[in-house]
Amino acid sequence: MADYRLKGLSCANCARELEEAIQKLPNGEEAKIYFNTSKLSVPDQVDMQNVTRILAADGASLVLEDGQEEIGEQAAQRMPNWKLSLLISVLLFSIGLIAEGSIPGAAVFIIYLAAAGISGYHTFLKGLKNLARFKFTIDTLMTVALIGAFSIGEWREGTLVAILFGLNEYLEGLGMEKARRSMESLLKVAPKEAVRLENGQEHVVPIASLRAGDYVLVKSGEKIPSDGKVIKGHSSVNEAAITGESMPVDKLEGEKVFGGSVNNEGVLVIEIEKAYQDSSLAKILHLVEEAQETKTPTELFINQFAKYYTPAVMMISVIVMVGPPLVAGGLWSEWFYQGLAVLIVGCPCALILSSPIAIVSGITRNARNGILIKGGVYLEQLGQIETIAFDKTGTLTKGKPNVEKTYVYYPDLFYKVAGAIEKNSSHPLARAVLDEVSQKESHLPEAEDITTIPGQGVKARVFNQMYYIGNESGLESLLLSQSAKDDMASLKESGYTLVAVSSDKEVLGLFGIRDEIRPESKELISKLNKARVKSTVMLTGDHEKTAEKVAESIGLTHYYAGLLPDEKVEKVRELSRLSKTAMVGDGINDAPALATADLGIAMGKGTDSAIETADIVLMQDHLGKLPEAISISRQVNKIIKFNIAFALGIKIFALLLTIPGWLTLWIAILSDMGATIIVTLISLTVLIEKKQEKNSVH
């Protein structure tokens, strides 16, 4: 498949028709036009001269990815220059108005015809072709209206219709282009070239040629070409392109880096771990680009509605033209004029644009914030969410056990024995104990005869004596003091995981370990409540007391503890039956629950599993920007509803003016143009970021 950018693509319906025409070419079945990103993907076997011919007939042309004109140059030259055409048309129209009554009527007719032709010839030619094929589109409606207006002597109004419709198309294209440019600025974060190191020599190469194992040199201010790890150097790196976070992240030797992030200072030597097309950035940009083209249920409905709407308007127009003269003896010329006005009111421009620009703007704005939404349908659903279910470990908590409380009865032995036994273990609880011990003891003795006791802990010989470290079940043979019993009960009551250190006679001390709650979790839940999320729920496999303490400390509505993976899935299914539910997890262990929920939201800082599993991916390692994403989605949904109601409402109002016979051609075109402009401008407000929103939870 070859990819091309398209020029002159301003109408979603036209894009669909062009796509269908190209698909009818030999080997063209898989051709695809992405209207929102103005892109054409076409199989290599397709004759591009035929593609150019089809595009040229609709005023579009092909350009290469780098923006250089390719085989569509001639077509580009034939494309109308909207600004110049409109200016000339307005000038001629003004001359015609001034000259009326002072020069012959034929001359005035020619001036008006020239003004209408310069502004509307493109629409007129397409409309004639469609009319010949009995294909009823916006262009068909305008062509019939123009022919009708000039045929009954309404030259002035016919010309005004042509000019206003040309202006309408220009502004419509401008609005779509604004949304596209916003998206393109996002896509430009991908670097084009890299400096590859080979045998000590530097070679500038395209990033597409990089392979895993290559070494690249990244200087200050340059973009890292693909995912990898730092081999040499130290610098701070701006990862905003991936995570949406503006604060730089320090990178030392051995640490991972993302392609597309920017080296702030110093020089880094990076070992590439993934070819660019497999990198996090490439996957993000590809998914964001694809997301522009997915149709929401609202858009699909509008597209279906528009198919029947236009022919229906033509039918109503005919009834208006012939009904009153036949039934009530009205004047044919008067009602023919009213029928032409109905045709213009019937243009579904504003209706068709009511959704796509808002959707593109919403997906783009979220992507800037490091929130990857895989399609308009998920953006729409996010704005409808009433319940959010969270996994606990790694989502509301840091996923790293931490010693938060200790009871020490024998300080000379407690830390030394615990450190000696745990220093060779990779268990998460052992690492937490070792982190705590390292702050108290710099030199640890060696442990011998290490024996693991399943379900309890570890025994080992330290200082020629046997010691035990593990849970309370390994202490059953000991005679515990009342103080030790009380301390153990206190730790369990507070939701800590208990780790005891003992000899074969008595307890040396206790560690109270808990998965540390993320500092932003409490504020996050508060902001979700303000965003009108009715219920926040935690699902965890931890025991009841731990879950209860976490839920209380951050203000969750409900929690469910002791859940196995299949029970977690069943609980998500149960919540989804009650209300629209999103599940938030880390994208690895929670894949079944993410897939079961109405909406799966993964946080994974660019991990492959997170990108592939969920409908929405938070590229940060926290949930701080989730409330803003919900707010943006709700804003998009509100705008779409308003746009549809406004577009239909203004048309109904204009059509009602036909009853007393007040509808004129210029009122009709102004109502259609006004609706289109307002719908476009309101949709673009989604791209505006408020200053206070930048101070999101971190």
Side-chain angles (χ1 to χ4, degrees):
M1 297 284 282
D3 290 339
Y4 299 91
R5 294 289 169 190
L6 293 176
K7 267 189 174 182
L9 200 64
S10 60
C11 164
N13 195 50
C14 304
R16 180 182 57 79
E17 292 170 2
L18 286 172
E19 180 183 271
E20 290 172 358
I22 294 170
Q23 286 172 347
K24 289 175 183 176
L25 294 174
N27 305 310
E29 294 84 3
E30 295 181 10
K32 181 76 177 170
I33 288 180
Y34 300 95
F35 171 66
N36 292 331
T37 47
S38 203
K39 179 179 170 184
L40 167 67
S41 288
V42 63
D44 297 326
Q45 301 85 354
V46 173
D47 184 346
M48 293 307 296
Q49 293 298 327
N50 288 332
V51 173
T52 306
R53 176 179 48 77
I54 291 169
L55 293 171
D58 209 72
S61 69
L62 292 170
V63 294
L64 285 174
E65 285 290 347
D66 61 5
Q68 297 299 312
E69 290 289 344
E70 210 227 13
I71 56 177
E73 283 184 3
Q74 293 178 352
Q77 291 168 7
R78 289 194 294 269
M79 285 175 62
N81 184 323
W82 290 110
K83 284 184 181 177
L84 183 60
S85 299
L86 285 169
L87 284 172
I88 294 171
S89 293
V90 170
L91 181 62
L92 288 172
F93 180 71
S94 302
I95 292 170
L97 280 176
I98 295 167
E100 270 191 52
S102 58
I103 62 173
V108 174
F109 172 78
I110 291 170
I111 292 171
Y112 281 139
L113 186 63
I118 291 169
S119 179
Y121 82 94
H122 183 64
T123 300
F124 185 75
L125 291 176
K126 282 200 292 183
L128 279 181
K129 288 176 184 175
N130 290 339
L131 201 56
R133 291 177 291 182
F134 293 98
K135 187 176 180 182
F136 302 113
T137 65
I138 299 166
D139 300 305
T140 315
L141 296 182
M142 293 307 299
T143 299
V144 172
L146 283 173
I147 293 171
F150 274 87
S151 66
I152 62 173
E154 295 290 346
W155 309 333
R156 185 195 308 142
E157 294 207 32
T159 305
L160 186 60
V161 165
I163 292 171
L164 289 175
F165 188 73
L167 178 62
N168 189 43
E169 286 214 315
Y170 172 69
L171 293 172
E172 183 181 321
L174 209 60
M176 198 66 228
E177 200 57 38
K178 169 69 177 171
R180 282 187 191 133
R181 277 199 300 270
S182 179
M183 172 51 57
E184 283 169 5
S185 67
L186 180 75
L187 299 179
K188 283 178 184 175
V189 299
K192 302 295 182 187
E193 295 177 328
V195 178
R196 184 163 56 198
L197 297 176
E198 297 177 20
N199 302 318
Q201 300 293 314
E202 298 179 11
H203 301 278
V204 178
V205 297
I207 61 165
S209 67
L210 293 178
R211 296 290 176 266
D214 286 349
Y215 289 85
V216 296
L217 186 73
V218 184
K219 297 176 183 176
S220 174
E222 293 181 346
K223 291 177 181 176
I224 295 168
S226 189
D227 296 358
K229 65 180 177 182
V230 178
I231 298 300
K232 184 180 178 182
H234 164 240
S235 180
S236 66
V237 172
N238 185 337
E239 296 181 340
I242 302 294
T243 66
E245 302 283 21
S246 57
M247 293 298 292
V249 181
D250 283 335
K251 297 292 180 180
L252 302 173
E253 289 184 14
E255 292 193 311
K256 302 281 187 183
V257 289
F258 292 117
S261 51
V262 180
N263 179 17
N264 286 334
E265 72 270 338
V267 177
L268 295 176
V269 176
I270 293 167
E271 181 183 356
I272 298 299
E273 295 183 332
K274 293 178 183 177
Y276 173 71
Q277 59 267 29
D278 299 321
S279 69
S280 300
L281 179 64
K283 287 181 179 178
I284 291 166
L285 298 183
H286 176 68
L287 286 170
V288 169
E289 204 167 17
E290 279 196 337
Q292 313 299 305
E293 306 305 325
T294 59
K295 298 295 183 187
T296 67
T298 304
E299 285 182 290
L300 292 171
F301 168 75
I302 289 171
N303 289 343
Q304 280 297 111
F305 179 73
K307 279 185 183 178
Y308 301 103
Y309 173 77
T310 306
V313 164
M314 293 200 77
M315 292 277 294
I316 293 169
S317 175
V318 171
I319 292 169
V320 169
M321 286 177 182
V322 302
L326 289 176
V327 175
L331 290 173
W332 283 95
S333 59
E334 183 181 315
W335 287 102
F336 185 78
Y337 177 87
Q338 290 286 306
L340 293 178
V342 169
L343 274 182
I344 295 169
V345 170
C347 290
C349 300
L351 192 61
I352 290 171
L353 279 180
S354 58
S355 179
I357 294 179
I359 292 289
V360 171
S361 299
I363 289 174
T364 302
R365 175 142 165 232
N366 276 307
R368 282 184 195 157
N369 289 336
I371 299 165
L372 174 60
I373 298 180
K374 292 186 178 179
V377 62
Y378 305 121
L379 182 72
E380 193 173 89
Q381 285 179 353
L382 183 60
Q384 299 167 354
I385 290 298
E386 295 179 337
T387 299
I388 300 182
F390 297 92
D391 171 54
K392 179 182 80 70
T393 306
T395 303
L396 295 172
T397 64
K398 290 185 175 180
K400 183 182 177 183
N402 184 58
V403 174
E404 293 190 6
K405 202 159 191 178
T406 55
Y407 291 101
V408 184
Y409 311 125
Y410 292 87
D412 292 341
L413 284 173
F414 176 64
Y415 289 111
K416 286 185 174 71
V417 169
I421 299 175
E422 299 287 46
K423 70 179 179 179
N424 296 313
S425 174
S426 59
H427 191 282
L429 293 181
R431 306 317 297 171
V433 167
L434 203 60
D435 287 343
E436 179 70 12
V437 169
S438 65
Q439 297 176 35
K440 310 289 183 181
E441 299 286 343
S442 54
H443 299 289
L444 297 174
E446 293 299 319
E448 300 173 332
D449 302 332
I450 299 172
T451 305
T452 300
I453 306 170
Q456 293 185 7
V458 179
K459 275 190 173 182
R461 187 177 300 278
V462 184
F463 301 130
N464 292 317
Q465 185 177 341
M466 292 302 293
Y467 290 96
Y468 165 81
I469 185 167
N471 60 36
E472 62 183 306
S473 61
L475 307 176
E476 291 175 353
S477 62
L478 299 182
L479 185 62
L480 300 176
S481 66
Q482 188 59 46
S483 174
K485 288 179 181 178
D486 291 344
D487 292 340
M488 288 169 63
S490 172
L491 287 173
K492 288 191 293 181
E493 181 66 25
S494 299
Y496 290 102
T497 298
L498 173 69
V499 174
V501 182
S502 71
S503 66
D504 55 1
K505 294 179 181 178
E506 54 196 339
V507 178
L508 305 182
L510 305 170
F511 290 104
I513 298 177
R514 191 153 58 190
D515 188 359
E516 189 178 352
I517 295 172
R518 289 178 177 273
E520 74 275 2
S521 291
K522 185 172 183 178
E523 189 177 351
L524 165 76
I525 300 302
S526 173
K527 286 195 170 189
L528 289 175
N529 291 335
K530 289 176 183 175
R532 300 192 309 281
V533 174
K534 294 179 181 176
S535 180
T536 50
V537 180
M538 182 175 69
L539 308 178
T540 179
D542 275 357
H543 55 77
E544 182 79 15
K545 281 296 177 185
T546 300
E548 182 184 353
K549 290 297 178 183
V550 172
E552 282 180 2
S553 64
I554 63 177
L556 291 166
T557 312
H558 305 288
Y559 69 91
Y560 300 94
L563 298 176
L564 296 171
D566 59 327
E567 293 172 326
K568 202 179 276 190
V569 169
E570 187 52 45
K571 184 57 68 176
V572 169
R573 195 173 282 128
E574 182 184 318
L575 291 170
S576 295
R577 283 195 290 267
L578 298 174
S579 63
K580 202 85 168 174
T581 300
M583 172 70 194
V584 184
D586 61 12
I588 303 170
N589 304 321
D590 302 302
L594 290 173
T596 303
D598 296 309
L599 199 63
I601 303 174
M603 49 180 291
K605 200 165 184 175
T607 58
D608 291 346
S609 55
I611 292 173
E612 289 163 10
T613 303
D615 306 314
I616 296 174
V617 183
L618 309 177
M619 303 307 292
Q620 311 90 7
D621 59 354
H622 60 76
L623 298 171
K625 294 193 177 180
L626 180 58
E628 185 181 347
I630 292 172
S631 296
I632 291 169
S633 303
R634 290 199 165 146
Q635 182 187 359
V636 168
N637 287 350
K638 278 183 184 176
I639 284 172
I640 290 171
K641 287 176 184 175
F642 172 82
N643 285 349
I644 292 171
F646 180 74
L648 288 175
I650 202 166
K651 289 183 184 302
I652 291 168
F653 174 75
L655 288 173
L656 289 174
L657 292 178
T658 59
I659 297 172
W662 294 345
L663 185 62
T664 63
L665 289 176
W666 66 269
I667 288 177
I669 193 66
L670 277 176
S671 69
D672 181 67
M673 184 179 74
T676 302
I677 293 170
I678 289 170
V679 161
T680 300
L681 291 176
I682 290 175
S683 296
L684 289 173
T685 60
V686 177
L687 291 170
I688 301 170
E689 294 188 47
K690 297 175 184 176
K691 287 184 180 178
Q692 60 264 34
E693 286 178 350
K694 293 181 181 178
N695 301 320
S696 57
V697 185
H698 286 89

